[in-house]
Amino acid sequence: MGESEKHSSDKDDYVPLKEQEEWRDVTPIPQEEEPNTVCPIAYTDEYSDMMSYLRAVMAKREVSQRALDLTGRVIEVNPGHYTVWMYRKQLVEELGTDSENELDWVAEISEIHHKNYQLWHYREALISRLLDQKTAEALTQDQLVRHPVIRRELLFATNAIDGDSKNFHAWSYRQWIVRTYGIWDQELVFVDTMINEDVRNNSAWNQRYFVLMGNGSGRPEKNPDSPLEDSLVDREIAYAVEKIKLAPNNESPWSYITGLLLRHAPARLYNTLLPKLQALAAEGSGYASSITTTPMYWSALVDIYEHQAKDLPDQASVLLDMAKDACDLLAFDHDPMRGKYWEFRKSQLCAGTTG
Amino acid sequence: MSAQGLSVDIHARYFKHCLTMLPAQTAGLDATRMTLAHLCLAGLAALGRLDETVSKQEKKEMVEWIYAQQIPARRGNEAYRGFRGGSLFGPHEACENVAANSGNVAATYSALCALLMLGDDLARVDREAIVRALGCLQQESGSFIPHPGTTERDPRFIFCACAISYILDDWRGVDRLAASRYIGGCINFDGGMTQAPLHESHGGHLYCCVASLSLMGTLHKVVAVGDRSRMLRWAMLHQNGGYQGRTNKDPDVCYSFWIGASVEMLGGHALVNCDEVAAFIQSCEAPYGGVSKNPDTRPDPLHSALGIAGYGFCRPDELPRMAPELLLPESIVQSLRAARTTSAV
């Protein structure tokens, strides 16, 4: 929807397959005559023709170069055809098609169809065959990152991200490569680069969390609730606060650090993060005034005070009052569009019902 | 922006037009015509215009087309049963290769919904075959693939499997505990829900996860009180005028349904700034009918149907109510609920 479509041949030059010598031996299978159709598409003659021949070769599972070429032409126009990808995969395997060429072809398709799901999974399948995990296990992270297959894939994903910095598929694909081949270290570097390029890129921030939870140095992946080393927590708090200073109204670092601490080091919310935020607010220079006008700051305070109240019951009533005040400020001054939500949040604090 | 609400007439005409004919450039949607049918009918239902736009005869013909996409039994095609996304795969008799003519859980879900909206009693649905096929498509992780042979596996297809099971009132094809467990792993550090553990929180997957749990009856088991709070918080933070699908992305009308419906299911309706959401959806109405993703693009059936359904959550007195857990009128879902005989997990 809204994607540009490159037609594989100019309409004037198009010769129907039924008039081509090469296809003489094939009986095309037309789409059924449907007097009772729903959402019918006004197919071009070219599309109808291609599809009739595709149906014919798929029906008898023909393995040939002409079938492979035909799948390419269909996918170019209709990458959502969900069985043709599997058929193409079989053809590539049985014909022994050169993987480089095939990966190039997938790259071409991805230029036209940025949001198509199937092509990424198709690529994943190709790569899994090219470099299996057993072979990869014998290599170091350094060697893996330099391995032509992996280097190429990282570049492919990076190019997609260059085109659309938040391309959901590209970031997911990177997670698959990193996890499958264990190349966690380079991913942290990549994440840092992307955050420096655009501090508001939430996909990059999420990827940062992914790397932290990941399989660094051969350890098993962390559980959602597992604690993090103190030094790591220190580093991440400092990192997030640095980025908050760049654009205080940017949701990503706020969500990142409060979410991370809530899960893995909740006491650090009030022991370490809170003093840093308060210091920023007190500082009286440019970003300090913007930090106290951003809803993110007050929203973070609500979460921090709430948690602190749980851990320090003798101070709970004072802390909860501060949290409720923050909710009022949000509801009436800093984030009135979400007024009803902040009143609800306040009521949760009164009742102690956030669990 | 109209003070009188949505331009119901022109949108009804838009959906009728899409049901009748789509242009050549939409060939890329050829494998998802079943979904398009579902969206157009749901859009009409959400406008309260289904019966007056689609005649009895037209409904009958649509029902025939839908049933014509049901995959018949063939040796070795157990996992491929259900409904296919369109007739592009060819006449059933012509497909000796079972893998070439495949059902798809998204198409099966849409087919069942479309049939219900067209007044069909599902008598010709091969329930046994569908339930068996679902059993073949669930993965060890608890997630689902949409059809055999692919590695795509995520909450979209868990949702379709749950929706199908709920509609057929037959859960033998879904290991609900495993699916629920998988979804539990998709709760993200920022309170949102993801396509797979550690992926980015996304409004579409929020819907698929929350709706799946609702349909399975495991919402409160999997989403603890604290998680529910954080999830509502995520949803509310992602309302900036309209709803954004992800942090720091622009609002997109389809999330009026994906996130809007999730909020309904999580019991957060009272928290929503309905005026803002409604205003955004109205700003996306195309002058000639349909609703687009944002004010700067052209309409399509998906954004039209979901925008209108989402609008309905915000303006319950203006339009008939759509169910949040299935893209169907609430009235139909109530009948399904009343007729249920299967027990909770």
Side-chain angles (χ1 to χ4, degrees):
Chain A
M1 297 177 204
E3 293 171 334
S4 62
E5 279 175 56
K6 188 177 82 179
H7 293 288
S8 50
S9 62
D10 186 65
K11 272 198 149 53
D12 297 327
D13 294 3
Y14 177 68
V15 179
L17 294 170
K18 59 181 181 272
E19 284 167 31
Q20 291 183 25
E21 188 57 46
E22 200 201 340
W23 289 92
R24 207 110 295 170
D25 59 306
V26 175
T27 310
I29 300 177
Q31 193 157 323
E32 282 164 313
E33 268 306 315
E34 298 171 284
N36 312 313
T37 55
V38 177
C39 297
I41 295 169
Y43 303 135
T44 58
D45 290 337
E46 182 184 339
Y47 181 80
S48 297
D49 183 55
M50 264 195 324
M51 289 298 293
S52 296
Y53 280 85
L54 181 73
R55 283 185 281 267
V57 296
M58 282 186 77
K60 49 194 183 86
R61 246 187 286 240
E62 175 178 311
V63 176
S64 67
Q65 188 60 40
R66 71 180 178 184
L68 181 65
D69 292 340
L70 185 55
T71 63
R73 291 175 55 210
V74 169
I75 288 172
E76 215 179 297
V77 177
N78 184 7
H81 185 307
Y82 54 86
T83 57
V84 74
W85 286 96
M86 261 82 67
Y87 177 52
R88 187 176 173 100
K89 180 161 168 283
Q90 279 163 22
L91 289 173
V92 158
E93 281 166 24
E94 293 189 46
L95 293 172
T97 304
D98 176 64
S99 325
E100 295 261 319
N101 289 340
E102 191 59 7
L103 291 168
D104 279 340
W105 173 82
V106 177
E108 275 169 36
I109 297 296
S110 78
E111 305 263 302
I112 315 167
H113 299 290
H114 318 283
K115 304 244 170 113
N116 172 267
Y117 281 84
Q118 282 98 334
L119 74 89
W120 293 93
H121 288 276
Y122 182 75
R123 201 164 172 111
E124 202 180 290
L126 287 175
I127 299 306
S128 302
R129 275 186 73 231
L130 271 182
L131 179 59
D132 62 272
Q133 272 183 281
K134 201 144 181 275
T135 311
E137 262 156 40
L139 304 171
T140 65
Q141 276 197 62
D142 251 358
Q143 287 172 317
L144 284 164
V145 170
R146 279 198 283 268
H147 191 291
V149 172
I150 290 179
R151 195 174 55 219
R152 188 198 181 110
E153 290 318 290
L154 290 175
L155 188 61
F156 178 73
T158 303
N159 283 340
I161 289 169
D162 276 345
D164 170 7
S165 65
K166 301 172 187 182
N167 184 324
F168 198 70
H169 306 284
W171 285 100
S172 306
Y173 190 66
R174 289 192 73 97
Q175 287 203 8
W176 177 77
I177 301 172
V178 167
R179 207 184 241 133
T180 305
Y181 300 108
I183 47 172
W184 298 89
D185 294 345
Q186 63 77 39
E187 196 65 4
L188 188 59
V189 174
F190 181 74
V191 159
D192 206 23
T193 309
M194 293 308 295
I195 290 176
N196 285 337
E197 243 179 61
D198 177 8
V199 73
R200 288 178 175 80
N201 187 336
N202 195 65
S203 306
W205 281 97
N206 185 76
Q207 200 81 338
R208 193 174 179 92
Y209 184 76
F210 160 73
V211 172
L212 250 64
M213 289 304 106
N215 191 351
S217 314
R219 285 167 301 174
E221 265 183 56
K222 300 184 179 69
N223 288 325
D225 302 321
S226 49
L228 290 173
E229 297 87 341
D230 278 345
S231 55
L232 202 64
V233 173
D234 282 331
R235 184 189 81 188
E236 293 309 301
I237 291 175
Y239 186 85
V241 170
E242 228 10 78
K243 303 305 177 193
I244 283 170
K245 280 156 69 166
L246 293 176
N249 208 29
N250 169 22
E251 194 184 320
S252 294
W254 294 97
S255 291
Y256 175 76
I257 198 60
T258 51
L260 183 127
L261 294 178
L262 267 167
R263 263 197 182 174
H264 304 283
R268 305 296 296 275
L269 279 168
Y270 50 88
N271 282 340
T272 318
L273 180 62
L274 179 61
K276 285 194 192 295
L277 295 177
Q278 288 168 329
L280 280 185
E283 252 182 69
S285 51
Y287 55 72
S289 53
S290 45
I291 217 177
T292 54
T293 56
T294 172
M296 318 286 168
Y297 172 74
W298 298 102
S299 170
L301 289 187
V302 175
D303 291 341
I304 295 171
Y305 290 141
E306 184 183 41
H307 205 90
Q308 196 174 13
K310 273 195 202 104
D311 285 356
L312 307 172
D314 51 330
Q315 292 175 43
S317 118
V318 172
L319 291 163
L320 286 176
D321 278 344
M322 291 199 289
K324 288 179 218 163
D325 287 343
C327 288
D328 283 338
L329 273 171
L330 284 158
F332 298 108
D333 292 335
H334 298 304
D335 199 13
M337 197 198 54
R338 263 174 282 277
K340 289 199 275 187
Y341 171 71
W342 293 118
E343 286 178 29
F344 165 72
R345 189 80 179 89
K346 184 177 167 187
S347 72
Q348 284 182 319
L349 295 167
C350 298
T353 53
T354 45
Chain B
M1 179 171 76
S2 162
Q4 301 125 304
L6 289 185
S7 307
V8 174
D9 291 336
I10 55 168
H11 299 319
R13 266 209 302 281
Y14 173 80
F15 287 122
K16 184 65 190 284
H17 181 85
C18 292
L19 282 166
T20 312
M21 183 61 76
L22 290 168
Q25 304 95 289
T26 59
L29 302 176
D30 203 13
T32 57
R33 283 168 60 199
M34 192 63 78
T35 304
L36 294 174
H38 177 191
L39 290 167
C40 291
L41 292 170
L44 284 169
L47 292 168
R49 290 295 181 88
L50 181 49
D51 291 338
E52 69 185 80
T53 308
V54 183
S55 70
K56 276 208 176 81
Q57 181 57 27
E58 283 168 330
K59 284 186 188 173
K60 259 187 77 189
E61 290 172 5
M62 288 183 192
V63 165
E64 290 314 305
W65 183 86
I66 294 171
Y67 275 119
Q69 309 320 317
Q70 188 166 208
I71 307 288
R74 190 156 283 206
R75 199 161 50 96
N77 83 340
E78 192 175 79
Y80 297 89
R81 302 292 300 280
F83 288 78
R84 59 189 190 176
S87 51
L88 77 172
F89 303 108
H92 296 296
E93 327 73 73
C95 289
E96 309 134 31
N97 173 10
V98 299
N101 188 29
S102 179
N104 180 315
V105 297
T108 302
Y109 158 61
S110 285
L112 294 177
C113 288
L115 286 169
L116 287 171
M117 284 189 278
L118 292 167
D120 186 74
D121 61 3
L122 308 188
R124 287 188 272 166
V125 172
D126 190 339
R127 296 161 178 257
E128 199 58 44
I130 288 172
V131 165
R132 266 216 204 101
L134 287 182
C136 299
L137 300 174
Q138 187 161 23
Q139 305 293 288
E140 250 184 73
S141 64
S143 189
F144 271 84
I145 56 175
H147 58 83
T150 179
T151 53
E152 272 191 275
R153 58 217 170 275
D154 63 59
R156 290 175 294 158
F157 311 122
I158 302 177
F159 168 70
C160 293
C162 289
I164 291 165
S165 303
Y166 187 88
I167 290 171
L168 297 180
D169 194 22
D170 186 338
W171 290 90
R172 287 175 298 149
V174 176
D175 177 346
R176 283 178 276 183
L177 287 177
S180 300
R181 209 166 33 239
Y182 180 85
I183 292 173
C186 292
I187 300 175
N188 207 5
F189 68 91
D190 61 359
M193 300 224 64
T194 66
Q195 176 179 312
L198 300 180
H199 286 211
E200 191 181 1
S201 298
H202 187 290
H205 292 294
L206 174 69
Y207 177 78
C208 294
C209 289
V210 172
S212 297
L213 294 177
S214 292
L215 293 167
M216 286 190 283
T218 53
L219 181 59
H220 297 290
K221 243 180 243 179
V222 173
V223 180
V225 173
D227 287 325
R228 174 181 165 267
S229 278
R230 299 267 300 152
M231 228 168 262
L232 277 172
R233 177 177 179 278
W234 188 92
M236 291 300 99
L237 285 183
H238 286 72
Q239 192 210 328
N240 280 300
Y243 285 107
Q244 307 156 292
R246 293 186 271 157
T247 304
N248 287 337
K249 291 214 74 178
D250 291 330
D252 174 335
V253 121
C254 65
Y255 296 104
S256 317
F257 182 79
W258 302 132
I259 299 181
S262 302
V263 170
E264 298 287 316
M265 287 184 278
L266 292 167
H269 176 84
L271 311 180
V272 178
N273 187 330
C274 287
D275 289 344
E276 290 272 333
V277 176
F280 177 73
I281 297 167
Q282 287 184 282
S283 75
C284 297
E285 291 181 271
Y288 41 85
V291 181
S292 53
K293 161 176 158 148
N294 58 46
D296 307 319
T297 55
R298 284 160 56 188
D300 60 65
L302 178 97
H303 290 91
S304 302
L306 298 184
I308 292 166
Y311 182 90
F313 293 135
C314 294
R315 293 282 183 260
D317 299 327
E318 250 181 71
L319 294 178
R321 186 166 167 84
M322 295 297 276
E325 59 273 82
L326 292 165
L327 189 59
L328 280 173
E330 179 68 43
S331 52
I332 292 183
V333 176
Q334 269 172 18
S335 314
L336 291 171
R337 213 176 276 137
R340 262 191 327 175
T341 55
T342 48
S343 52
V345 120

